[in-house]
Amino acid sequence: GTIMPEEDLYQLVDIAVKTAGIHPYAIEGDLQVIPRKGEKAECLMLVETGNAPAGVQLDEDMTDLITGQKIAAGPVEPYGIHILTRMG
């Protein structure tokens, strides 16, 4: 095996992400951004896992299915969960 320098590892991951068509989100904190797509709807689940405030910047306004609020960016409370959709 080989141990890559950290900068080279970041470059390799960046190439793999772009090649796979993965869209990274600008996040702060320990936030998981989980895309889901079904036959009738598409959503993003935001899950904070670090017991600390976190945040995300989205490309467009989305509706939180739990609260009904429209958001494009904002905080996620400690251990918070949001389910966002493009509908409505």
Side-chain angles (χ1 to χ4, degrees):
T2 200
I3 298 176
M4 297 178 115
E6 187 173 340
E7 184 176 320
D8 292 344
L9 180 60
Y10 286 133
Q11 289 177 351
L12 179 62
V13 169
D14 188 49
I15 291 168
V17 165
K18 288 177 182 174
T19 301
I22 297 171
H23 177 78
Y25 291 93
I27 62 168
E28 295 177 8
D30 292 325
L31 186 67
Q32 303 296 314
V33 179
I34 307 158
R36 290 289 181 249
K37 186 174 183 179
E39 292 180 19
K40 297 182 181 183
E42 185 175 333
C43 71
L44 287 177
M45 293 188 293
L46 307 179
V47 181
E48 196 290 316
T49 59
N51 194 24
V56 63
Q57 178 68 45
L58 303 170
D59 294 336
E60 61 185 298
D61 285 345
M62 297 183 83
T63 302
D64 186 328
L65 293 176
I66 298 171
T67 66
Q69 293 179 316
K70 289 190 183 242
I71 63 168
V76 178
E77 63 280 0
Y79 294 132
I81 297 173
H82 297 274
I83 302 173
L84 308 177
T85 184
R86 290 179 177 86
M87 298 176 351

